[in-house]
Amino acid sequence: MPTMEPADAASNRDSRRYPARPVVGVGAIVIRGGEVLLIRRGRAPLLGYWSLPGGAVETGERLEDALCREVLEETGLQVQPLFLAAVFERIMPDSHGRAEFHYVLLDYVCELLPSPTGQPQVGHAGDDASALGWFALDEAETLQMTPGTYDVIARALVAFDCCRATTHQACAGTFLRLQQGRAVSHPDSAGDPSSADPLSSSGDRA
């Protein structure tokens, strides 16, 4: 007897729920003077949580182009990706054990591009972000953040210092292995940060 798909699956092949294939997402770890750029989510799930700007890659879009687009949409800032900092996945089953969400996430360390006017870029919250801010690592630790974000930032700052010390050459393609949390059912735990869709609304951590 053939396995029946969830009702949502057949009609939402291109959606993020019950995808036919994993959804690829990108996140930006934008560093300026030892501080990192964070956005506050303006929509559920995880409304009000702080995270990295980013989102899903569109068909035909290069990874770095998607990254720059997402950052511009959510913060109004133009960035230059420097190197890949983290690659990990999140598989989130539903109450029947089917993969309701499946993401492959790539985080890039970035820096701000020089402004054409010579003045520092001034960001503003846009798209799904309700606010943005620059935070040192100890300040970020006090924020209500999406799961995994703090660890990504801490490791990326170390890699960025290495990158600057080697004139942006030796650290290209740095891979930071991140410990994965246990996936839980999304529908039954909508208020649980560990189970929320990491790419709905703003670009977020798994």
Side-chain angles (χ1 to χ4, degrees), residues 74-154:
E74 294 181 351
T75 71
L77 296 170
Q78 294 182 307
V79 300
Q80 172 65 51
L82 298 178
F83 58 88
L84 181 64
V87 180
F88 57 107
E89 67 178 2
R90 166 61 73 83
I91 302 173
M92 300 162 59
D94 63 14
S95 58
H96 301 288
R98 301 184 182 95
E100 183 175 2
F101 296 98
H102 186 174
Y103 293 100
V104 176
L105 304 171
L106 301 94
D107 288 333
Y108 288 82
V109 169
C110 306
E111 62 182 1
L112 293 174
L113 286 173
S115 170
T117 64
Q119 299 297 317
Q121 291 193 60
V122 178
H124 60 271
D127 197 18
D128 297 330
S130 64
L132 62 79
W134 294 92
F135 301 92
L137 188 60
D138 58 344
E139 295 172 327
E141 191 174 14
T142 67
L143 300 175
Q144 186 180 40
M145 302 178 74
T146 51
T149 302
Y150 179 81
D151 288 341
V152 169
I153 293 171

Side-chain angles (χ1 to χ4, degrees), residues 49-72:
Y49 279 65
W50 290 89
S51 189
L52 301 171
V57 180
E58 298 177 356
T59 300
E61 190 175 34
R62 294 183 181 277
L63 293 173
E64 293 186 359
D65 292 339
L67 184 73
C68 294
R69 172 183 56 78
E70 287 285 349
V71 175
L72 184 62

Side-chain angles (χ1 to χ4, degrees), residues 11-12 38 62 71 134 169 173 189:
S11 59
N12 292 301
L38 295 174
R62 294 183 181 277
V71 175
W134 294 92
Q169 296 299 320
S189 51

Side-chain angles (χ1 to χ4, degrees), residues 162-179:
C162 169
C163 184
R164 294 193 58 169
T166 54
T167 65
H168 292 186
Q169 296 299 320
C171 291
T174 298
F175 174 74
L176 303 176
R177 185 174 182 83
L178 302 177
Q179 187 175 16

